[in-house]
């Protein structure tokens, strides 16, 4: 199988820790279906603002997302890149500069190592960005996000879909833990 689709911001400073975030239901509104065009993206403004307030000297900010719509033939990889470019731009406009993103583009039956709950998105980020996953966190709205974090040796921070207050509370627990 192919590796995850990924992007890394040019000039992103090296960090040994990351806050990973899921896309659908965390950064963007959970739509009960695939996002197949930029027009379908609805940003969770308050979640992104909260992510922008994390200690960026300490943590890289990385999206880890399953996008099986590509493997199912509903969206090309290039179109997914265009959508993710829009996510990067939209996050930046709301005060959160993303450092990298990793998307599993495989279908559930492909047996890839990166479709959450498998840990491959996080371990790919670890290998490419030089992260210590034991000092990293994953904010996600699905049990599969938490399972991926557990299998990768990172700390899962569960939130409900589109719940900015929950994200703020999890981030507050993170800062108290890391000091
Ligand atoms: Mg989600
Ligand atoms: Zn995959």
């Amino acid at each position: 199988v192919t590796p995850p689709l990924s992007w890394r911001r040019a000039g992103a400073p090296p960090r040994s820790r990351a806050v990973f975030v899921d896309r659908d239901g965390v950064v963007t509104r959970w739509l009960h279906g695939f996002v197949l065009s930029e027009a379908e993206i609805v940003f969770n403004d308050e979640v992104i603002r909260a992510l922008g307030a994390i200690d960026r000297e300490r943590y890289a900010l990385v999206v880890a997302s399953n996008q099986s719509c590509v493997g199912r033939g509903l969206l090309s990889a290039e179109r997914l890149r265009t959508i993710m470019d829009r996510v990067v731009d939209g996050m930046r406009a709301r005060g959160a500069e993303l450092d990298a993103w990793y998307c599993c583009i495989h279908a559930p039956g492909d047996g890839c190592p990166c479709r959450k709950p498998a840990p491959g998105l996080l371990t790919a980020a670890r290998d490419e960005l030089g992260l210590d996953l034991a000092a990293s966190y994953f904010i996600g709205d699905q049990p599969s996000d938490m399972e991926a974090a557990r299998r990768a040796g990172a700390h899962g921070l569960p939130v409900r879909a589109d719940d900015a207050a929950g994200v703020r509370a999890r981030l507050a627990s993170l800062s108290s833990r890391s000091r």
Side-chain angles (χ1 to χ4, degrees), residues 1-4 66 103-107 112-115 121:
V1 294
T2 54
N66 284 355
C103 288
C104 169
I105 56 173
H106 307 107
C112 72
C114 50
R115 179 174 167 79
L121 296 177

Side-chain angles (χ1 to χ4, degrees), residues 24-31 44 47 141 159-165:
D24 302 297
V26 179
V27 172
T28 59
R29 189 82 44 84
W30 171 243
L31 289 184
N44 282 325
V47 169
D141 66 324
V159 295
R160 288 173 307 175
D162 308 323
D163 179 13

Side-chain angles (χ1 to χ4, degrees), residues 7-13 56 88 92 97-101 129:
W7 165 88
R8 185 176 181 180
R9 179 163 61 88
R56 303 306 308 281
V88 170
R92 179 183 299 119
E97 187 82 65
L98 202 61
D99 292 302
W101 56 254
L129 307 178

Side-chain angles (χ1 to χ4, degrees), residues 60-119:
L61 183 60
V62 182
V63 162
S65 178
N66 284 355
Q67 293 298 327
S68 69
C69 44
V70 175
R72 297 172 198 261
L74 301 172
L75 185 70
S76 71
E78 276 318 298
R79 294 282 303 132
L80 176 59
R81 278 198 185 277
T82 302
I83 291 170
M84 293 305 297
D85 285 347
R86 175 74 180 275
V87 170
V88 170
D89 292 346
M91 290 182 73
R92 179 183 299 119
R94 290 162 177 79
E97 187 82 65
L98 202 61
D99 292 302
W101 56 254
Y102 290 81
C103 288
C104 169
I105 56 173
H106 307 107
D110 288 350
C112 72
C114 50
R115 179 174 167 79
K116 299 175 289 186

